[in-house]
Amino acid sequence: MKTLVIASGNAGKLREFNQLLAPLGIDVRPQAEFNVPEAEEPHITFVENALAKARHASRITGQPALADDSGICVDALGGAPGVFSARFAGEPRSDARNNEKLLADMQGQTNRAAHYYCVLVLVRHADDPQPIIAEGAWHGEILSEPRGEGGFGYDPLVLDPSQGKTVAELPHDIKNRISHRGKAMAALLEKLKLYPL
């Protein structure tokens, strides 16, 4: 069984990756099991941050590593919070404070369009010259108040019009299938058929 280090400490992301990769016989391990500290994320694009995190985890563990960088991009805010989604309201990270800031910034906005965006980068080793890169997007609208108890991050504020529910109201199996991360993972799995671990 192949081991794949997930370059994240986010419990929600780890749970989703486990559900998506377990059927493939890939032993998914969080980087914390290898005492890998969080990587710096100094870049202004999702793909550069994901690549930096994957190389960092692979360099320390000596294992293949998968990293994602994802966030929410709100049209009326010029794509913000974007790569700063996890720290939108500053440090320490707080979903509740991030959601409060987003709601405050959206007051009076008529354009409520937004999308979650995810880039996945898999490296077979730290200096992999051909990382596997996949992306996915999930379009929705920002509500004026939260709904639902599931998910994490901005999920209670993001309505999926096709489902008529917020991301926080969706069952895990549906969310995993239609989410930005689910779409990126499907694209990654297709690429893994051509370039296996």
Side-chain angles (χ1 to χ4, degrees):
M1 181 175 280
K2 299 273 188 184
T3 297
L4 182 64
V5 177
I6 303 298
S8 176
N10 182 306
K13 288 181 184 178
L14 291 170
R15 186 170 51 252
E16 286 183 21
F17 283 132
N18 266 317
Q19 289 169 345
L20 292 165
L21 290 169
L24 302 177
I26 296 175
D27 184 22
V28 175
R29 299 294 177 100
Q31 67 180 11
E33 283 189 18
F34 300 89
N35 298 312
V36 177
E38 283 198 24
E40 294 293 318
E41 298 180 57
H43 305 290
I44 60 170
T45 67
F46 292 104
V47 69
E48 289 172 298
N49 283 330
L51 183 57
K53 290 189 279 189
R55 290 199 191 285
H56 173 76
S58 183
R59 186 166 287 116
I60 292 173
T61 64
Q63 299 288 334
L66 175 66
D68 93 322
D69 202 42
S70 55
I72 191 163
C73 301
V74 180
D75 291 10
L77 303 180
V83 296
F84 304 106
S85 293
R87 298 174 177 85
F88 192 40
E91 294 286 357
R93 296 182 209 184
S94 164
D95 288 349
R97 287 191 304 109
N98 287 340
N99 285 327
E100 288 169 14
K101 178 170 173 45
L102 179 58
L103 287 174
D105 288 358
M106 288 298 288
Q107 281 197 347
Q109 296 288 348
T110 54
N111 180 359
R112 310 296 287 188
H115 65 276
Y116 277 122
Y117 183 72
C118 173
V119 174
L120 294 175
V121 174
L122 188 151
V123 295
R124 292 165 207 78
H125 54 85
D127 298 319
D128 190 343
Q130 188 183 358
I132 298 174
I133 300 172
E135 63 181 349
W138 189 8
H139 296 270
E141 301 167 7
I142 303 298
L143 297 179
S144 55
E145 59 184 36
R147 281 184 10 205
E149 301 296 321
F152 60 97
Y154 299 91
D155 290 356
L157 294 178
V158 180
L159 177 74
D160 180 327
S162 70
Q163 300 289 320
K165 296 181 177 184
T166 67
V167 175
E169 293 172 315
L170 292 173
H172 283 297
D173 60 329
I174 293 174
K175 180 182 177 185
N176 285 345
R177 190 177 72 249
I178 66 175
S179 76
H180 54 308
R181 195 166 293 112
K183 291 173 185 172
M185 182 61 71
L188 183 82
L189 297 178
E190 284 302 308
K191 291 185 176 190
L192 274 172
K193 291 176 184 176
L194 296 172
Y195 308 102
L197 274 183

